[in-house]
Amino acid sequence: RVKLWETAMAIRDWSIMIKERPGHDPALQAVPMGFSWGALIFRELWALYRGAWYTAGLIIVLMPLVTLLAQITGFDTLSVLIVQLAMVLGIAFAANELRLAELSLRRYRLFTVLKARDLDEAEALGLILWSREPRATAPAPAAPAQEVAASGEQPRPLWTP
């Protein structure tokens, strides 16, 4: 027997990012919202695995730099550990938002935010919603000479000094 609170705890919010590809299905990425255990434990490896190259670079550069600055400014060992712990927790809380930012740099757009139990369900729901979205087809452009001949006007130059 499953309790109601256990079912509610299993459902998360997911951001569905889509990159349209003409003539193909879209590239779809489902990113969970909130805290990331993978980013907490594996920081750089998590970022590299997710393809978040800028985030991985920032982590690789900033973690030692902040630690070095804390030591140079005279922080004791406990204070340096607290600074490191704060950075690690900050990365874990912001990891998925950083991933969304990197996807938008790669020309993905936020399609929708939905609730799902896991990655497979989020991707399936995102693809279903995308397939139901009406597509606007652009009308074929008419030749400029035909438009001018039909209106009876003289063609105007695009730019005059």
Side-chain angles (χ1 to χ4, degrees), residues 94-139:
N96 289 319
E97 285 74 18
L98 290 170
R99 187 170 165 212
L100 289 173
E102 292 223 17
L103 285 171
S104 67
L105 286 175
R106 285 191 250 144
R107 299 178 194 235
Y108 281 76
R109 68 178 173 89
L110 179 64
F111 176 65
T112 189
V113 176
L114 52 83
K115 294 188 180 294
R117 287 184 176 78
D118 58 13
L119 176 65
D120 292 333
E121 184 179 358
E123 287 178 343
L125 288 172
L127 198 54
I128 289 169
L129 290 174
W130 176 83
S131 67
R132 290 182 181 170
E133 184 179 73
R135 305 278 176 262
T137 57

Side-chain angles (χ1 to χ4, degrees), residues 12-81:
R12 296 181 78 162
D13 288 335
W14 293 79
S15 295
I16 305 299
M17 301 288 285
I18 288 186
K19 182 177 185 179
E20 302 285 343
R21 300 181 299 180
H24 300 287
D25 286 339
L28 185 134
Q29 293 279 330
V31 180
M33 302 303 288
F35 188 81
S36 172
W37 285 100
L40 176 72
I41 298 168
F42 300 110
R43 287 174 304 283
E44 298 89 353
L45 294 176
W46 173 88
L48 291 172
Y49 177 75
R50 297 292 179 193
W53 310 113
Y54 296 120
T55 302
L58 284 173
I59 292 170
I60 289 169
V61 170
L62 287 181
M63 285 290 288
L65 184 66
V66 169
T67 302
L68 181 65
L69 287 175
Q71 290 174 343
I72 288 173
T73 56
F75 285 11
D76 62 350
T77 306
L78 180 61
S79 299
V80 171
L81 287 174

